[in-house]
Amino acid sequence: MYRLDPRYGPAPGAVLAAGRCAVAAQLPKGPATVAIDGPPSVDFPRLAAHLAQSLAAEGVPVRTLDTTAHHAPPDDVRRRTDDGSGDPYYCRLADNPLTDLFDELPRHERPTDGLLLVHGPGAALVPHDCLWYADVPKRYAEAAVAAGTGRNLGLPGQRADLRRLFYVDWPMLDRHRDTLAPRVDAWLDTQEPDRPVYVDGPGLRATLAALARQPVRTRPYFNSTPWGGHWAQRALGFDPGARNTALGYELIAPEVGVLIGTGPDLQAEIPFQLLCALHPDALLGADVRARFGTSFPIRFDYLDTVDGGDLSVHCHPREPYMRERFGWPYTQHETYYMTLGSPRTRVFLGLREDADVELFRKEVEEAAQDGVPMDPADHVLTFPAEQGRLFMIPAGTPHASGAGNLVLEISATPYLYSLRFYDWLRPDADGRPRQLPYEHGLANLDTHRRGDAVTRDLVQEPRLLRSGDGWHEDVIGALDEMFYEVRRYALDAGAVAHDDTAGRFHVLNVVEGEGVEILTAAGHRHVLAYAETLTVPAAVGAYRIVAGGGGAKVVKALVGLSAEAGRRASGPDVGRS
């Protein structure tokens, strides 16, 4: 059964506590300066007031210092941290340190009794005796900014916007957080502001060290969008009251978290990215880390259009553009795996042989500027969205999933660069026209791969890679220009397939059947149900996939072997699944 809250026990000796009084009891009694750092989505004044109140009841005097009161003027912060391009959709990823929020860091005298709580973004920059990090998952910040109640980094009291959140705030905050992770004395999960959850720093690091060496699943969630469907609500039980369940975050490393705790009443959600930051070789593998640093380079997510609408027709930045214009060192290659689809639903992919690019440009501009409808199929190929089919989508390729599909998107990690050409004249949730960064799209459109070449290169037939008693593994997508490949296991009931990470992480998803068990050489056992995604760290090495009573199909993605495996894969055509 699909788990909405996969949870992992803390390391032996780790200290967890929940609630204001229990968390306050973990603070030193002084005299000491305690820095509580974290993103502006944390309600720091409320947190500090609660901790001070609890300590005062114990006779411990507390003073507070809010870092946001010492920020540089907003115009100076914007000038220092924005790329100045004036682009309404994107800006280059900010590489600023948090010191750029200040003209001068706050100064204070160390208390002679009790505590000084220095709180807010950048608190760790102030001299301190003890360092805590308070956090809420990024989905809360995005929802608050979209609702008009959120805050941007360094701009307290000003209306926040998503562009700045994605491309300025998060890169700065992530880099700062990852630098602090090896030395924080405690971690606070403040999803429930009146009931924070505490994990001690050594216990947190010991737990993450263990998780980086065993199969691990991140906490999933779904967002709503104007095109969204309802499969995840009906099949998985996600948020039945939501407008829809469009985009499912199975494994999008910059945003998802891992639940650590002993049960629903005592658990903390820790950013998955900390596994990469603290244990890159164990999680990614030395070769992958050498290429991608501490960026986890593959993501798995769902696009749910079951009883929903067509996605926008769009493409993603090609690598030079992504690197030079937006600051990502690698680009957003994608694939669509049709977990649910049919010959009657469709996928848009690649240019038609007879596509007139200038006419396409003209129609895109007229649709965006004057609301003139267009038919993308006049320019872009469509394919039946058959269940089990994989579509390759290199950067620059126009594409979209049609209505009625459940797409497992197996892609490079960059995920915030959908360069939309056409969105069916559809309004956003507030009734306004959706943003169409079509100028970026047209600048990245690959006009060379079209017609038969699209079918040959991007809609590949499975190639048998290896097989055993009751199972076989196929390569279902490998392209020299893409740094990862996609494979699929087919297992009969009770079959056991043997695999080995061979020094590079694997990501698995059960696309058919009730589920499988993953058994590692070190003795870890992980049940993986239908539609769930699992990361198998490089350090795992040998493992087995054991099918349940009804058999199963399991998709696997891995880095760096596509060209070699594409040449090596051979054998009979085993069909389309």
Side-chain angles (χ1 to χ4, degrees):
M1 181 177 178
Y2 186 94
R3 287 288 305 273
L4 301 177
D5 59 346
R7 186 183 306 108
Y8 300 88
V15 177
L16 274 72
R20 285 186 266 170
C21 293
V23 169
Q26 307 301 321
L27 285 164
K29 298 301 184 284
T33 298
V34 177
I36 309 179
D37 211 318
S41 48
V42 172
D43 189 342
F44 280 104
R46 183 175 181 177
L47 174 64
H50 286 165
L51 294 176
Q53 183 180 15
S54 296
L55 288 168
E58 301 295 323
V60 179
V62 176
R63 293 187 296 115
T64 63
L65 188 160
D66 184 348
T67 62
T68 63
H70 297 265
H71 285 163
D75 287 347
D76 290 346
V77 171
R78 289 184 184 276
R79 177 178 50 79
R80 294 169 188 171
T81 56
D82 196 280
D83 66 0
S85 67
D87 187 328
Y89 310 110
Y90 310 104
C91 63
R92 186 176 177 83
L93 295 181
D95 59 4
N96 306 72
L98 256 62
T99 50
D100 280 356
L101 303 180
F102 305 91
D103 287 333
E104 185 178 14
L105 289 171
R107 297 185 180 187
H108 68 86
E109 293 185 2
R110 190 175 187 274
T112 56
D113 65 338
L115 296 182
L116 171 64
L117 297 183
V118 182
H119 61 81
L125 302 173
V126 176
H128 54 269
D129 302 295
C130 180
L131 174 61
W132 285 17
Y133 194 91
D135 194 37
V136 291
K138 286 181 176 176
R139 59 183 179 272
Y140 289 87
E142 182 176 355
V145 171
T149 60
R151 306 177 187 90
N152 278 136
L153 181 65
L155 302 173
Q158 299 204 352
R159 183 174 179 83
D161 68 81
L162 291 172
R163 173 186 175 275
R164 187 170 180 88
L165 179 73
F166 295 155
Y167 308 112
V168 177
D169 298 1
W170 284 354
M172 291 178 63
L173 289 162
D174 288 357
R175 193 179 306 107
H176 181 67
R177 178 203 62 206
D178 292 357
T179 300
L180 300 180
R183 64 182 183 89
V184 295
D185 296 297
W187 185 277
L188 291 184
D189 181 331
T190 64
Q191 292 181 62
E192 298 181 50
D194 294 329
R195 191 179 178 277
V197 178
Y198 166 100
V199 185
D200 73 299
L204 171 67
R205 287 183 286 273
T207 303
L208 294 178
L211 290 177
R213 293 164 174 82
Q214 68 183 66
V216 62
R217 172 163 166 73
T218 56
R219 185 184 204 175
Y221 68 97
F222 274 77
N223 275 348
S224 293
T225 73
W227 49 260
H230 303 278
W231 171 83
Q233 291 168 306
R234 298 167 185 165
L236 305 181
F238 270 99
D239 203 354
R243 184 162 47 98
N244 55 54
T245 43
L247 180 60
Y249 287 62
E250 279 288 305
L251 177 61
I252 299 183
E255 289 204 32
V256 294
V258 179
L259 286 175
I260 294 172
T262 57
D265 295 330
L266 189 60
Q267 65 183 20
E269 187 170 343
I270 308 300
F272 178 79
Q273 173 59 28
L274 289 190
L275 288 167
C276 304
L278 293 174
H279 305 285
D281 284 359
L283 183 68
L284 302 171
D287 289 347
V288 177
R289 189 260 307 152
R291 183 172 179 184
F292 294 97
T294 59
S295 176
F296 192 88
I298 292 178
R299 62 182 165 90
F300 274 46
D301 59 85
Y302 284 117
L303 305 175
D304 175 8
T305 62
V306 176
D307 293 328
D310 298 316
L311 268 68
S312 64
V313 178
H314 61 285
C315 74
H316 301 294
R318 292 197 271 184
E319 187 153 321
Y321 199 95
M322 179 70 102
R323 184 174 56 251
E324 295 162 14
R325 185 67 178 262
F326 298 141
W328 266 92
Y330 61 102
T331 198
Q332 193 168 334
H333 296 306
E334 297 188 337
T335 69
Y336 281 0
Y337 185 88
M338 307 311 298
T339 299
L340 294 177
S342 76
R344 298 179 303 279
T345 58
R346 61 184 177 172
V347 166
F348 295 84
L349 181 67
L351 290 174
R352 291 167 48 129
E353 187 68 49
D354 61 353
D356 181 332
V357 174
E358 289 308 311
L359 178 59
F360 179 62
R361 175 190 299 273
K362 178 176 179 292
E363 292 186 4
V364 165
E365 291 174 347
E366 288 177 345
Q369 296 170 9
D370 303 318
V372 178
M374 64 178 287
D375 185 353
D378 289 342
H379 310 279
V380 179
L381 289 166
T382 63
F383 295 87
E386 301 167 82
Q387 184 174 349
R389 170 66 76 185
L390 184 83
F391 297 93
M392 309 287 288
I393 311 170
T397 306
H399 65 283
S401 172
N405 299 323
L406 177 67
V407 172
L408 175 63
E409 194 172 41
I410 304 168
S411 306
T413 288
Y415 65 109
L416 294 171
Y417 301 91
S418 291
L419 312 179
R420 290 190 287 270
F421 299 112
Y422 183 66
D423 197 35
W424 315 97
L425 308 184
R426 177 168 44 203
D428 65 15
D430 298 320
R432 299 185 298 260
R434 295 189 82 200
Q435 290 187 328
L436 288 174
Y438 66 86
E439 298 96 336
H440 286 297
L442 292 169
N444 283 274
L445 179 64
D446 184 349
T447 61
H448 296 100
R449 184 182 273 130
R450 53 172 70 207
D452 290 344
V454 173
T455 304
R456 181 192 67 233
D457 296 342
L458 307 187
V459 191
Q460 301 177 5
E461 297 298 331
R463 288 94 71 198
L464 180 65
L465 183 62
R466 59 195 188 98
S467 61
D469 185 13
W471 64 271
H472 62 266
E473 182 183 12
D474 301 325
V475 175
I476 59 173
L479 202 62
D480 285 351
E481 66 201 82
M482 297 173 64
F483 67 80
Y484 65 95
E485 70 178 55
V486 183
R487 303 179 183 179
R488 182 177 59 204
Y489 279 102
L491 302 101
D492 295 339
V496 180
H498 293 260
D499 208 336
D500 195 312
T501 62
R504 302 183 187 209
F505 73 89
H506 294 174
V507 183
L508 309 177
N509 179 283
V510 179
V511 293
E512 291 186 39
E514 292 186 2
V516 297
E517 283 189 313
I518 308 300
L519 306 174
T520 75
H524 295 109
R525 172 182 175 271
H526 202 297
V527 174
L528 191 65
Y530 171 69
E532 291 185 339
T533 301
L534 185 72
T535 300
V536 183
V540 165
Y543 67 95
R544 290 169 287 157
I545 303 175
V546 183
K553 289 186 177 179
V554 179
V555 159
K556 177 176 79 177
L558 68 164
V559 167
L561 300 178
S562 50
E564 177 188 351
R567 289 190 296 269
R568 189 175 66 236
S570 60
D573 183 338
V574 294
R576 296 183 178 180
S577 164

